[in-house]
Amino acid sequence: MSLTALPAKLKSIGHYIKTATEHDKRDPVVAYYCRFYAVKKGIEIDSSSAECKSYLLGLMDFLEKQKQACPEDSPIRNEVIGQAHVENYALKVFLYADNEDRAGRFNKNVVKSFYTAGMLFDVLSVFDLVSEDIEKNKKYAKWKAAYIHKCLQTGETPVAGPLPEEGDEDAPQPSTFSGATAGPSSYSNQPPSQPSPPYPPPGNQLPGGAQSWPQEQPQASYQPPPPQPQYSAPQETWKPPSNPSGVKLNSEDYQRAMKLCKFASSALQYEDPTTAIDNLTKALTLLTTGKEK
């Protein structure tokens, strides 16, 4: 079965399948979750017709085999790691596009990067929770992709960054957590309030043909989380002397040594080193010789 031969009713998931194909070698984790999201949306669209059911079952079988071939700690099998991986990758794509946009470098690669970031933010919905920041950046990325593309088609110079006016619901602002600042600035041009999506039906290439991925575009690969620091006992620089007389201590000796140590601790709280040293010396003497003095 061809994973790219979409039934007509499932054309709306075409861009997610195409993005998965583009990432099969670049980042298999991203590719897996793009297809996973496509299956989820495909089932919502049509899971009863023979053609759609056959395609979706084939895609599900492909994903299951891919999952079973991965180790237990793989981000494909561990959704917690998988979510962090996809989110990190999506933010890198978004920040690349946002930085290019703010620098005034408007081209088809920026459009594609914004659009891809928006789709990857969509993909994050396969996990339990999506943060408000992700939703905000998703809306902004999709709007920016449509807006810059329309400007390139009409010859208009796009406005860099977010809109200068706060509170405009038609042109979303990016979240500040991603590294993008959403504060107002002074611009000479005003973007259209409701840009219409410039893309062809999903499943086709972007206008002008598929563009090569920019060299600056991050090529993310799975990095396992850093291991938790293991506790290691500090190197001992001092050891108590062995009992020279071989004396055996009784329970009263141990109780007395504990009291001496408590006295020393109390003295330290009052910053009285003399008393602390005296009591610690007595405790040490008792433990090594069986006598305080």
mmCIF file of all heavy atoms in Angstrom, residues 97-137:
data_model
loop_
_atom_site.group_PDB
_atom_site.id
_atom_site.type_symbol
_atom_site.label_atom_id
_atom_site.label_comp_id
_atom_site.label_asym_id
_atom_site.label_seq_id
_atom_site.Cartn_x
_atom_site.Cartn_y
_atom_site.Cartn_z
ATOM 1 N N ALA A 97 11.634 30.503 11.355
ATOM 2 C CA ALA A 97 10.770 31.328 10.507
ATOM 3 C C ALA A 97 10.562 32.706 11.121
ATOM 4 O O ALA A 97 10.599 33.728 10.416
ATOM 5 C CB ALA A 97 9.426 30.629 10.304
ATOM 6 N N ASP A 98 10.357 32.764 12.421
ATOM 7 C CA ASP A 98 10.120 34.041 13.102
ATOM 8 C C ASP A 98 11.342 34.944 13.016
ATOM 9 O O ASP A 98 11.215 36.154 12.771
ATOM 10 C CB ASP A 98 9.752 33.775 14.563
ATOM 11 C CG ASP A 98 9.272 35.027 15.282
ATOM 12 O OD1 ASP A 98 8.335 35.683 14.775
ATOM 13 O OD2 ASP A 98 9.826 35.357 16.344
ATOM 14 N N ASN A 99 12.527 34.379 13.179
ATOM 15 C CA ASN A 99 13.744 35.182 13.081
ATOM 16 C C ASN A 99 13.953 35.717 11.667
ATOM 17 O O ASN A 99 14.358 36.871 11.481
ATOM 18 C CB ASN A 99 14.957 34.356 13.511
ATOM 19 C CG ASN A 99 14.981 34.085 15.004
ATOM 20 O OD1 ASN A 99 14.400 34.836 15.785
ATOM 21 N ND2 ASN A 99 15.632 33.007 15.413
ATOM 22 N N GLU A 100 13.696 34.860 10.669
ATOM 23 C CA GLU A 100 13.817 35.306 9.278
ATOM 24 C C GLU A 100 12.801 36.404 8.982
ATOM 25 O O GLU A 100 13.107 37.397 8.314
ATOM 26 C CB GLU A 100 13.600 34.118 8.333
ATOM 27 C CG GLU A 100 14.700 33.085 8.358
ATOM 28 C CD GLU A 100 16.002 33.635 7.814
ATOM 29 O OE1 GLU A 100 16.098 33.837 6.597
ATOM 30 O OE2 GLU A 100 16.930 33.878 8.631
ATOM 31 N N ASP A 101 11.589 36.227 9.472
ATOM 32 C CA ASP A 101 10.527 37.208 9.263
ATOM 33 C C ASP A 101 10.897 38.551 9.874
ATOM 34 O O ASP A 101 10.780 39.611 9.237
ATOM 35 C CB ASP A 101 9.233 36.671 9.872
ATOM 36 C CG ASP A 101 8.129 37.715 9.921
ATOM 37 O OD1 ASP A 101 7.862 38.356 8.889
ATOM 38 O OD2 ASP A 101 7.526 37.897 10.999
ATOM 39 N N ARG A 102 11.370 38.543 11.108
ATOM 40 C CA ARG A 102 11.715 39.789 11.795
ATOM 41 C C ARG A 102 12.922 40.479 11.174
ATOM 42 O O ARG A 102 13.080 41.695 11.297
ATOM 43 C CB ARG A 102 11.968 39.512 13.283
ATOM 44 C CG ARG A 102 10.706 39.143 14.045
ATOM 45 C CD ARG A 102 11.001 38.599 15.430
ATOM 46 N NE ARG A 102 9.801 38.106 16.085
ATOM 47 C CZ ARG A 102 8.984 38.850 16.828
ATOM 48 N NH1 ARG A 102 9.252 40.121 17.018
ATOM 49 N NH2 ARG A 102 7.909 38.329 17.382
ATOM 50 N N ALA A 103 13.768 39.671 10.513
ATOM 51 C CA ALA A 103 14.922 40.250 9.827
ATOM 52 C C ALA A 103 14.559 40.760 8.435
ATOM 53 O O ALA A 103 15.421 41.310 7.729
ATOM 54 C CB ALA A 103 16.036 39.215 9.723
ATOM 55 N N GLY A 104 13.307 40.587 8.038
ATOM 56 C CA GLY A 104 12.864 41.091 6.739
ATOM 57 C C GLY A 104 13.253 40.216 5.568
ATOM 58 O O GLY A 104 13.225 40.667 4.422
ATOM 59 N N ARG A 105 13.613 38.955 5.842
ATOM 60 C CA ARG A 105 13.983 38.040 4.750
ATOM 61 C C ARG A 105 12.747 37.217 4.390
ATOM 62 O O ARG A 105 12.548 36.109 4.879
ATOM 63 C CB ARG A 105 15.155 37.161 5.174
ATOM 64 C CG ARG A 105 16.442 37.933 5.368
ATOM 65 C CD ARG A 105 17.628 37.016 5.615
ATOM 66 N NE ARG A 105 17.617 36.441 6.951
ATOM 67 C CZ ARG A 105 18.230 36.983 7.996
ATOM 68 N NH1 ARG A 105 18.888 38.146 7.853
ATOM 69 N NH2 ARG A 105 18.204 36.400 9.182
ATOM 70 N N PHE A 106 11.921 37.770 3.528
ATOM 71 C CA PHE A 106 10.657 37.139 3.165
ATOM 72 C C PHE A 106 10.834 36.308 1.901
ATOM 73 O O PHE A 106 11.185 36.839 0.845
ATOM 74 C CB PHE A 106 9.585 38.203 2.938
ATOM 75 C CG PHE A 106 9.422 39.154 4.086
ATOM 76 C CD1 PHE A 106 9.798 40.487 3.965
ATOM 77 C CD2 PHE A 106 8.921 38.724 5.298
ATOM 78 C CE1 PHE A 106 9.660 41.367 5.012
ATOM 79 C CE2 PHE A 106 8.773 39.594 6.366
ATOM 80 C CZ PHE A 106 9.144 40.924 6.228
ATOM 81 N N ASN A 107 10.615 35.015 2.000
ATOM 82 C CA ASN A 107 10.726 34.138 0.829
ATOM 83 C C ASN A 107 9.860 32.904 1.061
ATOM 84 O O ASN A 107 9.225 32.748 2.110
ATOM 85 C CB ASN A 107 12.184 33.747 0.587
ATOM 86 C CG ASN A 107 12.850 33.190 1.836
ATOM 87 O OD1 ASN A 107 12.358 32.241 2.428
ATOM 88 N ND2 ASN A 107 13.962 33.796 2.246
ATOM 89 N N LYS A 108 9.853 32.028 0.066
ATOM 90 C CA LYS A 108 8.999 30.850 0.148
ATOM 91 C C LYS A 108 9.433 29.885 1.246
ATOM 92 O O LYS A 108 8.608 29.150 1.790
ATOM 93 C CB LYS A 108 8.964 30.142 -1.209
ATOM 94 C CG LYS A 108 8.277 30.973 -2.286
ATOM 95 C CD LYS A 108 8.297 30.265 -3.627
ATOM 96 C CE LYS A 108 7.610 31.118 -4.694
ATOM 97 N NZ LYS A 108 7.648 30.463 -6.023
ATOM 98 N N ASN A 109 10.725 29.868 1.549
ATOM 99 C CA ASN A 109 11.178 28.995 2.633
ATOM 100 C C ASN A 109 10.617 29.443 3.982
ATOM 101 O O ASN A 109 10.310 28.617 4.847
ATOM 102 C CB ASN A 109 12.710 28.980 2.700
ATOM 103 C CG ASN A 109 13.309 28.069 1.645
ATOM 104 O OD1 ASN A 109 12.677 27.121 1.200
ATOM 105 N ND2 ASN A 109 14.523 28.359 1.226
ATOM 106 N N VAL A 110 10.496 30.756 4.177
ATOM 107 C CA VAL A 110 9.912 31.268 5.419
ATOM 108 C C VAL A 110 8.432 30.883 5.486
ATOM 109 O O VAL A 110 7.929 30.483 6.538
ATOM 110 C CB VAL A 110 10.082 32.798 5.520
ATOM 111 C CG1 VAL A 110 9.344 33.343 6.733
ATOM 112 C CG2 VAL A 110 11.558 33.154 5.606
ATOM 113 N N VAL A 111 7.742 30.999 4.355
ATOM 114 C CA VAL A 111 6.334 30.594 4.309
ATOM 115 C C VAL A 111 6.197 29.121 4.680
ATOM 116 O O VAL A 111 5.367 28.738 5.510
ATOM 117 C CB VAL A 111 5.752 30.842 2.904
ATOM 118 C CG1 VAL A 111 4.341 30.264 2.808
ATOM 119 C CG2 VAL A 111 5.724 32.328 2.593
ATOM 120 N N LYS A 112 7.050 28.304 4.064
ATOM 121 C CA LYS A 112 6.965 26.865 4.325
ATOM 122 C C LYS A 112 7.295 26.550 5.780
ATOM 123 O O LYS A 112 6.670 25.684 6.404
ATOM 124 C CB LYS A 112 7.908 26.104 3.399
ATOM 125 C CG LYS A 112 7.831 24.594 3.598
ATOM 126 C CD LYS A 112 8.682 23.844 2.595
ATOM 127 C CE LYS A 112 8.532 22.340 2.803
ATOM 128 N NZ LYS A 112 9.333 21.561 1.846
ATOM 129 N N SER A 113 8.285 27.242 6.338
ATOM 130 C CA SER A 113 8.671 26.985 7.724
ATOM 131 C C SER A 113 7.549 27.369 8.686
ATOM 132 O O SER A 113 7.252 26.637 9.633
ATOM 133 C CB SER A 113 9.954 27.745 8.067
ATOM 134 O OG SER A 113 11.040 27.255 7.314
ATOM 135 N N PHE A 114 6.930 28.529 8.461
ATOM 136 C CA PHE A 114 5.794 28.921 9.305
ATOM 137 C C PHE A 114 4.662 27.901 9.182
ATOM 138 O O PHE A 114 4.061 27.494 10.181
ATOM 139 C CB PHE A 114 5.279 30.305 8.904
ATOM 140 C CG PHE A 114 5.882 31.447 9.686
ATOM 141 C CD1 PHE A 114 6.425 32.541 9.031
ATOM 142 C CD2 PHE A 114 5.878 31.443 11.071
ATOM 143 C CE1 PHE A 114 6.975 33.605 9.752
ATOM 144 C CE2 PHE A 114 6.407 32.503 11.804
ATOM 145 C CZ PHE A 114 6.963 33.581 11.130
ATOM 146 N N TYR A 115 4.387 27.492 7.933
ATOM 147 C CA TYR A 115 3.286 26.561 7.710
ATOM 148 C C TYR A 115 3.571 25.204 8.342
ATOM 149 O O TYR A 115 2.704 24.589 8.969
ATOM 150 C CB TYR A 115 3.034 26.410 6.216
ATOM 151 C CG TYR A 115 1.766 25.651 5.895
ATOM 152 C CD1 TYR A 115 0.522 26.153 6.240
ATOM 153 C CD2 TYR A 115 1.826 24.413 5.247
ATOM 154 C CE1 TYR A 115 -0.635 25.467 5.950
ATOM 155 C CE2 TYR A 115 0.665 23.713 4.955
ATOM 156 C CZ TYR A 115 -0.565 24.242 5.306
ATOM 157 O OH TYR A 115 -1.718 23.560 5.026
ATOM 158 N N THR A 116 4.814 24.736 8.203
ATOM 159 C CA THR A 116 5.197 23.458 8.805
ATOM 160 C C THR A 116 5.123 23.531 10.324
ATOM 161 O O THR A 116 4.655 22.596 10.984
ATOM 162 C CB THR A 116 6.615 23.060 8.371
ATOM 163 O OG1 THR A 116 6.657 22.920 6.946
ATOM 164 C CG2 THR A 116 7.045 21.745 9.006
ATOM 165 N N ALA A 117 5.581 24.640 10.899
ATOM 166 C CA ALA A 117 5.494 24.815 12.354
ATOM 167 C C ALA A 117 4.040 24.734 12.808
ATOM 168 O O ALA A 117 3.718 24.097 13.813
ATOM 169 C CB ALA A 117 6.115 26.138 12.772
ATOM 170 N N GLY A 118 3.149 25.394 12.065
ATOM 171 C CA GLY A 118 1.731 25.348 12.419
ATOM 172 C C GLY A 118 1.186 23.931 12.385
ATOM 173 O O GLY A 118 0.411 23.532 13.261
ATOM 174 N N MET A 119 1.576 23.140 11.371
ATOM 175 C CA MET A 119 1.127 21.755 11.291
ATOM 176 C C MET A 119 1.678 20.919 12.441
ATOM 177 O O MET A 119 0.984 20.082 13.009
ATOM 178 C CB MET A 119 1.544 21.143 9.951
ATOM 179 C CG MET A 119 0.747 21.638 8.760
ATOM 180 S SD MET A 119 1.015 20.586 7.315
ATOM 181 C CE MET A 119 2.776 20.798 7.086
ATOM 182 N N LEU A 120 2.959 21.151 12.791
ATOM 183 C CA LEU A 120 3.553 20.388 13.885
ATOM 184 C C LEU A 120 2.914 20.749 15.219
ATOM 185 O O LEU A 120 2.791 19.898 16.113
ATOM 186 C CB LEU A 120 5.064 20.618 13.933
ATOM 187 C CG LEU A 120 5.838 20.067 12.736
ATOM 188 C CD1 LEU A 120 7.317 20.407 12.852
ATOM 189 C CD2 LEU A 120 5.655 18.557 12.619
ATOM 190 N N PHE A 121 2.496 22.002 15.368
ATOM 191 C CA PHE A 121 1.742 22.368 16.566
ATOM 192 C C PHE A 121 0.393 21.633 16.584
ATOM 193 O O PHE A 121 -0.112 21.266 17.649
ATOM 194 C CB PHE A 121 1.529 23.881 16.628
ATOM 195 C CG PHE A 121 2.780 24.669 16.921
ATOM 196 C CD1 PHE A 121 3.024 25.883 16.287
ATOM 197 C CD2 PHE A 121 3.712 24.206 17.833
ATOM 198 C CE1 PHE A 121 4.165 26.621 16.569
ATOM 199 C CE2 PHE A 121 4.863 24.934 18.116
ATOM 200 C CZ PHE A 121 5.093 26.142 17.482
ATOM 201 N N ASP A 122 -0.201 21.433 15.401
ATOM 202 C CA ASP A 122 -1.414 20.614 15.307
ATOM 203 C C ASP A 122 -1.139 19.201 15.803
ATOM 204 O O ASP A 122 -1.925 18.628 16.558
ATOM 205 C CB ASP A 122 -1.897 20.524 13.853
ATOM 206 C CG ASP A 122 -2.681 21.739 13.405
ATOM 207 O OD1 ASP A 122 -3.237 22.444 14.267
ATOM 208 O OD2 ASP A 122 -2.745 21.983 12.184
ATOM 209 N N VAL A 123 -0.018 18.648 15.356
ATOM 210 C CA VAL A 123 0.335 17.265 15.678
ATOM 211 C C VAL A 123 0.443 17.059 17.192
ATOM 212 O O VAL A 123 0.135 15.984 17.709
ATOM 213 C CB VAL A 123 1.655 16.878 14.982
ATOM 214 C CG1 VAL A 123 2.186 15.542 15.481
ATOM 215 C CG2 VAL A 123 1.455 16.822 13.467
ATOM 216 N N LEU A 124 0.853 18.091 17.909
ATOM 217 C CA LEU A 124 0.998 17.971 19.361
ATOM 218 C C LEU A 124 -0.316 17.653 20.068
ATOM 219 O O LEU A 124 -0.315 17.221 21.215
ATOM 220 C CB LEU A 124 1.596 19.262 19.933
ATOM 221 C CG LEU A 124 3.092 19.466 19.671
ATOM 222 C CD1 LEU A 124 3.504 20.881 20.063
ATOM 223 C CD2 LEU A 124 3.920 18.445 20.432
ATOM 224 N N SER A 125 -1.429 17.840 19.365
ATOM 225 C CA SER A 125 -2.726 17.554 19.993
ATOM 226 C C SER A 125 -2.957 16.056 20.181
ATOM 227 O O SER A 125 -3.919 15.658 20.848
ATOM 228 C CB SER A 125 -3.862 18.161 19.169
ATOM 229 O OG SER A 125 -3.982 17.505 17.915
ATOM 230 N N VAL A 126 -2.098 15.197 19.610
ATOM 231 C CA VAL A 126 -2.247 13.755 19.832
ATOM 232 C C VAL A 126 -1.890 13.400 21.273
ATOM 233 O O VAL A 126 -2.237 12.313 21.752
ATOM 234 C CB VAL A 126 -1.388 12.921 18.858
ATOM 235 C CG1 VAL A 126 -1.749 13.226 17.424
ATOM 236 C CG2 VAL A 126 0.102 13.129 19.097
ATOM 237 N N PHE A 127 -1.198 14.303 21.948
ATOM 238 C CA PHE A 127 -0.863 14.081 23.347
ATOM 239 C C PHE A 127 -1.980 14.668 24.217
ATOM 240 O O PHE A 127 -2.841 15.389 23.745
ATOM 241 C CB PHE A 127 0.494 14.703 23.665
ATOM 242 C CG PHE A 127 1.602 14.214 22.768
ATOM 243 C CD1 PHE A 127 2.078 15.004 21.731
ATOM 244 C CD2 PHE A 127 2.152 12.948 22.939
ATOM 245 C CE1 PHE A 127 3.087 14.556 20.893
ATOM 246 C CE2 PHE A 127 3.152 12.484 22.106
ATOM 247 C CZ PHE A 127 3.626 13.285 21.081
ATOM 248 N N ASP A 128 -1.929 14.371 25.493
ATOM 249 C CA ASP A 128 -3.047 14.711 26.369
ATOM 250 C C ASP A 128 -3.350 16.203 26.422
ATOM 251 O O ASP A 128 -4.472 16.631 26.249
ATOM 252 C CB ASP A 128 -2.766 14.193 27.785
ATOM 253 C CG ASP A 128 -2.835 12.678 27.840
ATOM 254 O OD1 ASP A 128 -3.483 12.096 26.954
ATOM 255 O OD2 ASP A 128 -2.248 12.089 28.756
ATOM 256 N N LEU A 129 -2.314 17.015 26.672
ATOM 257 C CA LEU A 129 -2.523 18.441 26.889
ATOM 258 C C LEU A 129 -1.624 19.262 25.988
ATOM 259 O O LEU A 129 -0.469 18.906 25.761
ATOM 260 C CB LEU A 129 -2.254 18.802 28.353
ATOM 261 C CG LEU A 129 -3.166 18.163 29.415
ATOM 262 C CD1 LEU A 129 -2.676 18.508 30.801
ATOM 263 C CD2 LEU A 129 -4.610 18.624 29.224
ATOM 264 N N VAL A 130 -2.158 20.349 25.480
ATOM 265 C CA VAL A 130 -1.384 21.305 24.694
ATOM 266 C C VAL A 130 -1.469 22.641 25.410
ATOM 267 O O VAL A 130 -2.559 23.118 25.727
ATOM 268 C CB VAL A 130 -1.921 21.431 23.251
ATOM 269 C CG1 VAL A 130 -1.129 22.476 22.480
ATOM 270 C CG2 VAL A 130 -1.837 20.082 22.536
ATOM 271 N N SER A 131 -0.328 23.250 25.662
ATOM 272 C CA SER A 131 -0.304 24.483 26.437
ATOM 273 C C SER A 131 -0.924 25.643 25.669
ATOM 274 O O SER A 131 -1.027 25.622 24.433
ATOM 275 C CB SER A 131 1.135 24.838 26.825
ATOM 276 O OG SER A 131 1.876 25.224 25.678
ATOM 277 N N GLU A 132 -1.306 26.652 26.409
ATOM 278 C CA GLU A 132 -1.864 27.860 25.798
ATOM 279 C C GLU A 132 -0.839 28.536 24.900
ATOM 280 O O GLU A 132 -1.187 29.106 23.861
ATOM 281 C CB GLU A 132 -2.324 28.817 26.901
ATOM 282 C CG GLU A 132 -2.989 30.085 26.391
ATOM 283 C CD GLU A 132 -3.451 30.991 27.513
ATOM 284 O OE1 GLU A 132 -3.484 30.525 28.670
ATOM 285 O OE2 GLU A 132 -3.776 32.163 27.237
ATOM 286 N N ASP A 133 0.445 28.470 25.287
ATOM 287 C CA ASP A 133 1.498 29.067 24.461
ATOM 288 C C ASP A 133 1.593 28.384 23.106
ATOM 289 O O ASP A 133 1.797 29.038 22.083
ATOM 290 C CB ASP A 133 2.846 28.969 25.182
ATOM 291 C CG ASP A 133 2.934 29.898 26.377
ATOM 292 O OD1 ASP A 133 2.443 31.033 26.276
ATOM 293 O OD2 ASP A 133 3.473 29.494 27.422
ATOM 294 N N ILE A 134 1.476 27.055 23.088
ATOM 295 C CA ILE A 134 1.530 26.320 21.827
ATOM 296 C C ILE A 134 0.354 26.711 20.941
ATOM 297 O O ILE A 134 0.507 26.941 19.737
ATOM 298 C CB ILE A 134 1.523 24.807 22.088
ATOM 299 C CG1 ILE A 134 2.843 24.357 22.743
ATOM 300 C CG2 ILE A 134 1.309 24.035 20.785
ATOM 301 C CD1 ILE A 134 4.073 24.564 21.891
ATOM 302 N N GLU A 135 -0.835 26.800 21.521
ATOM 303 C CA GLU A 135 -2.011 27.192 20.743
ATOM 304 C C GLU A 135 -1.837 28.595 20.166
ATOM 305 O O GLU A 135 -2.211 28.862 19.018
ATOM 306 C CB GLU A 135 -3.260 27.140 21.640
ATOM 307 C CG GLU A 135 -3.696 25.738 22.020
ATOM 308 C CD GLU A 135 -4.234 24.956 20.842
ATOM 309 O OE1 GLU A 135 -4.561 25.572 19.810
ATOM 310 O OE2 GLU A 135 -4.344 23.727 20.951
ATOM 311 N N LYS A 136 -1.245 29.474 20.936
ATOM 312 C CA LYS A 136 -1.050 30.849 20.490
ATOM 313 C C LYS A 136 -0.056 30.907 19.331
ATOM 314 O O LYS A 136 -0.278 31.585 18.322
ATOM 315 C CB LYS A 136 -0.543 31.694 21.667
ATOM 316 C CG LYS A 136 -0.596 33.190 21.439
ATOM 317 C CD LYS A 136 -0.251 33.937 22.728
ATOM 318 C CE LYS A 136 -0.418 35.440 22.556
ATOM 319 N NZ LYS A 136 -0.109 36.169 23.804
ATOM 320 N N ASN A 137 1.043 30.173 19.455
ATOM 321 C CA ASN A 137 2.044 30.172 18.389
ATOM 322 C C ASN A 137 1.547 29.439 17.152
ATOM 323 O O ASN A 137 1.925 29.777 16.025
ATOM 324 C CB ASN A 137 3.337 29.530 18.895
ATOM 325 C CG ASN A 137 4.146 30.498 19.741
ATOM 326 O OD1 ASN A 137 3.985 31.709 19.654
ATOM 327 N ND2 ASN A 137 5.022 29.972 20.577
#
